[in-house]
Amino acid sequence: MATRLSRTESYSLLALSLACFGILANTLQGEGEPLIASIAFSGLAFSFCYALIRWLGNAFMHRGFKGKDLCKLKQTEIPETMGAVCAMVYLSIIVVFIPWPFYKDIVAATSGGGNRDVMKEIEQVETGRLLHRFPHNKLASYLSAILSLQCIVLLGIGDDLFDIRWRHKVFIPAIAAIPMLIVYFVDFGVTQMVVPTPLRPYLGELLDIGWLYYVYMALLSIFSSNSINILAGINGIEVAQSLVIALLIVFNDCLYLFVTPYPHPATDSHLFSLYLLLPFIGVSLALLMHNWYPAKVFVGDTYCYFAGMVFAVDGILGHFSKTLILLLLPQGFNFIYSAPQLFHLVPCPRHRLPHLNPRTGLLECSRAEFKKPLTRPIAESLKLLHRLRMLDVEVDKEGTVVSCSNFTIINLWLVWFGPMREDQLALGLLGFQTAVGLMGLFIRHRMALLVFTQDNL
Amino acid sequence: MATRLSRTESYSLLALSLACFGILANTLQGEGEPLIASIAFSGLAFSFCYALIRWLGNAFMHRGFKGKDLCKLKQTEIPETMGAVCAMVYLSIIVVFIPWPFYKDIVAATSGGGNRDVMKEIEQVETGRLLHRFPHNKLASYLSAILSLQCIVLLGIGDDLFDIRWRHKVFIPAIAAIPMLIVYFVDFGVTQMVVPTPLRPYLGELLDIGWLYYVYMALLSIFSSNSINILAGINGIEVAQSLVIALLIVFNDCLYLFVTPYPHPATDSHLFSLYLLLPFIGVSLALLMHNWYPAKVFVGDTYCYFAGMVFAVDGILGHFSKTLILLLLPQGFNFIYSAPQLFHLVPCPRHRLPHLNPRTGLLECSRAEFKKPLTRPIAESLKLLHRLRMLDVEVDKEGTVVSCSNFTIINLWLVWFGPMREDQLALGLLGFQTAVGLMGLFIRHRMALLVFTQDNL
């Protein structure tokens, strides 16, 4: 892999960075304009991440973070775990961004008019800004988000270093969610859920589910992170699916921010969501440009955990966790579809990624071969799935099931549409995911009135 | 190295953990008693850290985190970077501890009397605890401390993985301090310093040093972390010196908490300091028991940065940064004493740790040999230092300086007191450090009146 930036790349990244710095300097003249600043920071995040992935590739390979691409004819080693670089750039950007959303409040706390040097009174000085109506709670929730994200990066790097066992690493996101949950407990402690209209006669308008609410948040983190980690195996799919989810959430946020005519009560939480997501889109784009077919770097588990945690934190602290679940439907389907192999009802080979046909250069679905005959109910279920076109089952002359395609949505796509090139496969899946996500959002906003008294849009 | 706990160790750690869990459960009956809870958490931190260092040693060696002990006859490889385990345990404990200091406030925000299930009013519920006088600012400063500590651990692991160059890694603590500084900026923004009495006619009572205050805080982080990293080289010295500093700060905190007769205005910030330090003492003790002569693990740069950052965060957010500098005097002296070699005025060999005499089994001071003759002013300065007993200089027949002992406090100790065993050397230095520290605290509290109008004790 090239470890230097080409001249074009250098100049483009430099120009982008300078433009972003210019925009940032401008925001400080006015009221901070946090959304504009966030966009500028995302541009910086993209540039830094793009350059660092290039520069650090060799250092990572030297330290043993490398792997071979099994879906290529020529299997050269390329750097692994580059998602950690992404995550570090993201964390730095998101920390440096902290003052912007609070710029107006900081100016209000000083003598105003941007003249920050002259404080009004000594007593005010000694107590800091406590006497002012500074939105400490917003700050605390922003900090708790960063804490949880830092935590997942630490644990993710630990996993990439030491190859933690599958049944242990499922819980990594739950551990990383602890900082957020604890700050949530200490600072807000709201554990009520709005009850759907049909159930109100029995449960009332709001149902306090108490500690179960924390379990729900932890489970959402586990689901969000692991579902992205499971839908993996071909170039670019981990990053691109995360980008699709991020863009759909941004689209949903924009509906609240720009379509509703008056300042909406949910404006703040959707701004918060944008502040977290825009830099994520920046670093992910930079990573995708290196990870798209043919991949020059791998992303590592760190990236999948990190991306999933960004969504979980965003959904929980932005108060749209149910919408988030809608957007994770393809990942959820992939998990349920994978379950028979994950829980070893059906034999599971070590790798389930598609198989490269060296003659055609196209990917074909990979298969699980059954050396021992399957039990009758399982064999019959597989045959049923085959008839439903949800699996490709191979049967010998006596009617015994010999092999079947592996239980992942990626292989299913190949069963449906036949062998294809790796990037076409990725594009197909991403198109499917986008369509499902847009439909989910449509349903969420059009049909919400059927189960709740009002849509909160 | 043994990778399992002996039966005695297992039972002792288990008993300690159970006792600590018992104490924690008890604190929830009353008002939370955060100090007692913190002590119990420190016990847990010790147990977890002790066990994990044992269990993870092999995994670290497999992943290339290993090194040879140059001060031993038999140079077997032992695990390196075990400070990262310490730091991770510390971070988990400190996160889980968050609710305790706020327990009283959480209970006050609900219906009181510990009955947390029944909230008073729906409106209150929807706004969370915002309407109550919840100490959000305390929470924010606690969270910013954790952010900075997580950040230094991430960067420290990066350094241990990729061997960042010396002139870059000096600044690692400053980068890690950014989260704390930004939260400080956003949430408090107090940049005034109390002016010493003699200077008041010129500068006034309080001097606003503006952005220089942030530079001061960043420099303190750099100094605190790197000074511990420089005073290193013999078994146990990094951890033990950190423990001495931590214990001296705890002693100072206790002066404020238990000696002053009435609730002191600084009570809160010194409690905060204890909450951060007690678990640190827990994990450091566990590490020291593995790192003390003869060492079974090495601590790595991560530990030194981490320890230094704990002190910096503690001193800055606990508002006793000047006292902290007093306690770091031996490290400061070691830095100034090292400067001629660090800045290459005098040739600096790759390793400056003491030299093992294989015949006696004792450590002797290591020497820098000068192949090229030194310039006259430098040679004369070295001879002067020799006469002051601050260096051991070897001179040939013509009076040319041939070699001198290396410029570290560890070698100076050997120059003063002759060859000795590694643990005696460490103990001597620690005794010296404790004496200097206690004297520093005495001066700070007895002499403060000479330069300030009042001691704040």
Side-chain angles (χ1 to χ4, degrees):
Chain A
M1 177 181 129
T3 55
R4 284 162 171 271
L5 297 168
S6 73
R7 182 169 295 196
T8 328
E9 283 173 331
S10 303
Y11 285 128
S12 316
L13 292 179
L14 198 67
L16 176 62
S17 305
L18 287 177
C20 291
F21 275 122
I23 295 172
L24 280 182
N26 258 325
T27 60
L28 292 179
Q29 304 299 317
E31 284 204 316
E33 282 117 21
L35 193 54
I36 308 240
S38 179
I39 294 170
F41 270 116
S42 309
L44 289 177
F46 172 83
S47 313
F48 295 164
C49 191
Y50 192 99
L52 280 172
I53 288 175
R54 230 20 115 66
W55 293 334
L56 295 179
N58 271 346
F60 272 66
M61 303 230 333
H62 276 295
R63 207 56 180 74
F65 294 107
K66 56 188 173 186
K68 282 180 184 163
D69 195 336
L70 298 175
C71 290
K72 299 287 179 300
L73 282 175
K74 218 174 118 191
Q75 294 185 8
T76 47
E77 284 190 322
I78 58 176
E80 170 68 281
T81 323
M82 295 311 278
V85 177
C86 254
M88 294 292 286
V89 172
Y90 176 83
L91 287 175
S92 323
I93 289 285
I94 213 83
V95 162
V96 175
F97 174 68
I98 296 177
W100 269 264
F102 301 99
Y103 190 78
K104 256 197 294 188
D105 306 297
I106 296 173
V107 174
T110 52
S111 61
N115 183 3
R116 303 197 64 255
D117 298 332
V118 191
M119 291 283 211
K120 275 175 191 161
E121 304 253 330
I122 287 283
E123 300 98 74
Q124 248 183 13
V125 166
E126 284 183 339
T127 46
R129 301 209 175 86
L130 310 186
L131 299 173
H132 300 277
R133 300 203 136 276
F134 188 82
H136 292 285
N137 57 311
K138 262 167 66 185
L139 180 63
S141 84
Y142 196 81
L143 294 180
S144 76
I146 304 177
L147 272 178
S148 271
L149 293 173
Q150 269 189 349
C151 209
I152 197 86
V153 174
L154 269 172
L155 292 168
I157 292 176
D159 175 30
D160 274 325
L161 271 173
F162 298 118
D163 286 326
I164 300 169
R165 249 166 283 167
W166 189 82
R167 62 173 174 278
H168 293 154
K169 73 192 202 185
V170 171
F171 299 102
I172 285 182
I175 301 172
I178 291 175
M180 176 178 63
L181 299 186
I182 284 183
V183 176
Y184 193 94
F185 169 75
V186 169
D187 215 14
F188 307 96
V190 182
T191 54
Q192 267 91 352
M193 278 193 144
V194 180
V195 176
T197 323
L199 298 175
R200 292 215 175 154
Y202 315 106
L203 299 171
E205 256 187 75
L206 286 173
L207 174 67
D208 189 348
I209 57 171
W211 60 269
L212 278 177
Y213 197 78
Y214 294 91
V215 175
Y216 163 70
M217 292 191 278
L219 286 178
L220 184 62
S221 313
I222 293 183
F223 170 63
S224 172
S225 302
N226 283 294
S227 63
I228 289 172
N229 207 7
I230 288 177
L231 182 40
I234 59 174
N235 287 174
I237 195 78
E238 299 95 339
V239 188
Q241 67 175 310
S242 306
L243 268 173
V244 168
I245 297 169
L247 289 170
L248 286 169
I249 302 179
V250 167
F251 172 69
N252 186 46
D253 291 335
C254 291
L255 284 183
Y256 284 87
L257 294 177
F258 302 118
V259 175
T260 49
Y262 48 87
H264 190 273
T267 301
D268 261 2
S269 57
H270 286 280
L271 272 174
F272 174 87
S273 158
L274 283 182
Y275 300 157
L276 286 183
L277 282 178
L278 294 178
F280 175 77
I281 292 175
V283 294
S284 294
L285 263 182
L287 185 58
L288 185 62
M289 290 174 75
H290 291 90
N291 183 236
W292 189 251
Y293 176 86
K296 287 175 286 302
V297 304
F298 287 132
V299 298
D301 286 349
T302 308
Y303 180 82
C304 302
Y305 286 139
F306 164 66
M309 203 67 194
V310 169
F311 301 142
V313 162
D314 206 53
I316 290 171
L317 297 178
H319 306 294
F320 56 88
S321 54
K322 279 168 286 185
T323 310
L324 174 64
I325 294 175
L326 272 181
L327 297 179
L328 287 169
L329 280 184
Q331 283 74 17
F333 170 75
N334 184 52
F335 173 73
I336 295 169
Y337 185 62
S338 289
Q341 283 194 324
L342 292 182
F343 299 114
H344 291 284
L345 293 175
V346 173
C348 180
R350 174 139 172 62
H351 291 293
R352 301 191 300 166
L353 63 166
H355 163 76
L356 177 73
N357 184 333
R359 209 163 37 80
T360 58
L362 301 180
L363 292 189
E364 294 168 0
C365 70
S366 62
R367 311 186 69 84
E369 316 275 341
F370 308 128
K371 277 150 201 167
K372 283 183 285 187
L374 298 172
T375 57
R376 198 182 155 81
I378 288 182
E380 289 307 317
S381 316
L382 294 190
K383 282 181 194 168
L384 177 65
L385 281 175
H386 181 80
R387 247 167 291 151
L388 295 171
R389 298 227 338 117
M390 291 300 287
L391 199 66
D392 184 59
V393 172
E394 191 191 343
V395 181
D396 67 4
K397 279 169 279 173
E398 288 106 56
T400 323
V401 175
V402 182
S403 78
C404 74
S405 59
N406 278 314
F407 289 74
T408 68
I409 199 172
I410 298 177
N411 285 306
L412 185 58
W413 197 263
L414 291 169
V415 169
W416 284 347
F417 301 104
M420 59 180 85
R421 222 174 59 188
E422 195 168 353
D423 52 344
Q424 289 173 321
L425 174 58
L427 281 175
L429 285 166
L430 293 170
F432 170 72
Q433 189 198 352
T434 313
V436 171
L438 285 174
M439 219 167 64
L441 286 183
F442 179 80
I443 291 174
R444 192 237 162 287
H445 291 297
R446 289 286 152 226
M447 315 285 172
L449 292 176
L450 298 181
V451 282
F452 293 104
T453 45
Q454 50 177 27
D455 179 15
N456 58 7
L457 188 63
Chain B
M1 177 181 129
T3 53
R4 283 162 171 271
L5 297 168
S6 73
R7 182 169 295 195
T8 327
E9 284 173 330
S10 303
Y11 285 129
S12 314
L13 292 178
L14 198 67
L16 176 60
S17 305
L18 287 177
C20 292
F21 276 121
I23 295 171
L24 281 182
N26 257 324
T27 60
L28 293 179
Q29 305 298 317
E31 285 204 315
E33 282 117 23
L35 193 54
I36 311 249
S38 179
I39 294 171
F41 270 116
S42 309
L44 288 178
F46 171 83
S47 314
F48 295 164
C49 190
Y50 191 98
L52 279 172
I53 288 175
R54 226 29 111 63
W55 292 334
L56 295 179
N58 271 345
F60 272 67
M61 302 226 341
H62 276 295
R63 206 58 179 73
F65 294 107
K66 55 189 173 188
K68 280 182 186 163
D69 194 337
L70 298 175
C71 290
K72 299 287 179 301
L73 283 175
K74 219 173 118 190
Q75 294 185 7
T76 48
E77 284 191 323
I78 58 176
E80 170 69 280
T81 324
M82 294 312 277
V85 176
C86 254
M88 294 293 285
V89 172
Y90 176 84
L91 286 174
S92 324
I93 290 285
I94 214 83
V95 162
V96 175
F97 174 68
I98 297 176
W100 269 263
F102 302 100
Y103 191 79
K104 257 198 293 190
D105 306 297
I106 295 172
V107 173
T110 50
S111 62
N115 182 3
R116 303 195 63 254
D117 297 332
V118 190
M119 292 280 209
K120 276 175 188 161
E121 303 252 332
I122 288 284
E123 298 98 78
Q124 249 181 12
V125 166
E126 285 183 340
T127 47
R129 300 206 177 89
L130 311 186
L131 299 174
H132 301 277
R133 301 204 134 274
F134 187 82
H136 293 286
N137 57 312
K138 263 167 67 184
L139 179 63
S141 83
Y142 196 81
L143 294 180
S144 76
I146 304 178
L147 272 178
S148 272
L149 293 173
Q150 267 189 350
C151 208
I152 196 86
V153 175
L154 269 171
L155 293 168
I157 291 175
D159 176 30
D160 274 326
L161 269 173
F162 299 119
D163 285 326
I164 301 169
R165 250 167 281 167
W166 189 82
R167 63 174 175 278
H168 294 155
K169 72 193 204 186
V170 170
F171 298 102
I172 285 182
I175 301 172
I178 290 175
M180 176 177 64
L181 300 186
I182 284 184
V183 176
Y184 193 94
F185 169 76
V186 169
D187 215 13
F188 307 96
V190 183
T191 54
Q192 268 88 353
M193 276 194 145
V194 180
V195 176
T197 323
L199 298 176
R200 292 213 175 156
Y202 315 105
L203 299 172
E205 258 187 73
L206 286 176
L207 174 68
D208 189 347
I209 56 171
W211 58 270
L212 278 176
Y213 197 78
Y214 294 91
V215 175
Y216 163 71
M217 291 191 278
L219 286 178
L220 184 61
S221 312
I222 293 182
F223 170 63
S224 173
S225 302
N226 283 294
S227 64
I228 289 173
N229 206 7
I230 289 176
L231 181 42
I234 59 174
N235 287 174
I237 196 77
E238 299 94 340
V239 188
Q241 67 175 311
S242 306
L243 267 173
V244 168
I245 297 169
L247 290 170
L248 286 169
I249 303 179
V250 167
F251 173 67
N252 185 46
D253 291 335
C254 290
L255 283 182
Y256 283 88
L257 294 176
F258 301 118
V259 176
T260 49
Y262 48 89
H264 190 274
T267 301
D268 262 3
S269 56
H270 286 281
L271 271 174
F272 174 86
S273 158
L274 283 182
Y275 300 156
L276 285 183
L277 283 177
L278 295 178
F280 175 76
I281 293 176
V283 293
S284 295
L285 262 182
L287 185 58
L288 185 63
M289 289 174 76
H290 291 90
N291 182 237
W292 189 251
Y293 176 87
K296 284 176 286 300
V297 304
F298 288 131
V299 299
D301 286 349
T302 309
Y303 180 81
C304 302
Y305 287 136
F306 164 65
M309 203 68 194
V310 169
F311 301 142
V313 163
D314 207 53
I316 290 171
L317 297 178
H319 307 294
F320 56 88
S321 56
K322 281 168 285 187
T323 310
L324 174 64
I325 295 175
L326 272 180
L327 296 179
L328 288 169
L329 280 183
Q331 282 76 15
F333 170 75
N334 184 53
F335 173 73
I336 295 168
Y337 184 62
S338 288
Q341 283 194 322
L342 292 183
F343 299 114
H344 292 283
L345 294 175
V346 174
C348 180
R350 173 138 172 64
H351 289 294
R352 303 191 299 167
L353 64 165
H355 163 77
L356 176 73
N357 185 332
R359 210 163 36 80
T360 59
L362 300 180
L363 293 189
E364 294 169 359
C365 69
S366 62
R367 311 186 69 84
E369 316 275 342
F370 308 128
K371 278 150 199 166
K372 284 184 284 187
L374 297 173
T375 57
R376 199 183 154 82
I378 288 183
E380 288 307 316
S381 315
L382 294 190
K383 283 181 192 166
L384 177 65
L385 282 175
H386 182 78
R387 249 168 290 149
L388 294 170
R389 299 226 339 115
M390 290 301 287
L391 199 65
D392 185 59
V393 171
E394 193 190 343
V395 180
D396 68 5
K397 279 170 279 175
E398 288 107 55
T400 323
V401 175
V402 182
S403 80
C404 75
S405 60
N406 278 314
F407 290 73
T408 69
I409 201 173
I410 297 177
N411 286 305
L412 185 59
W413 196 263
L414 290 169
V415 170
W416 283 348
F417 301 104
M420 59 180 86
R421 223 175 59 188
E422 195 168 353
D423 52 343
Q424 289 173 321
L425 175 57
L427 281 176
L429 286 165
L430 294 170
F432 169 72
Q433 188 199 352
T434 313
V436 171
L438 285 175
M439 221 166 63
L441 286 183
F442 180 79
I443 291 175
R444 191 238 161 287
H445 291 296
R446 288 287 154 224
M447 314 285 173
L449 292 176
L450 298 181
V451 281
F452 292 104
T453 46
Q454 50 177 27
D455 180 13
N456 59 6
L457 188 62

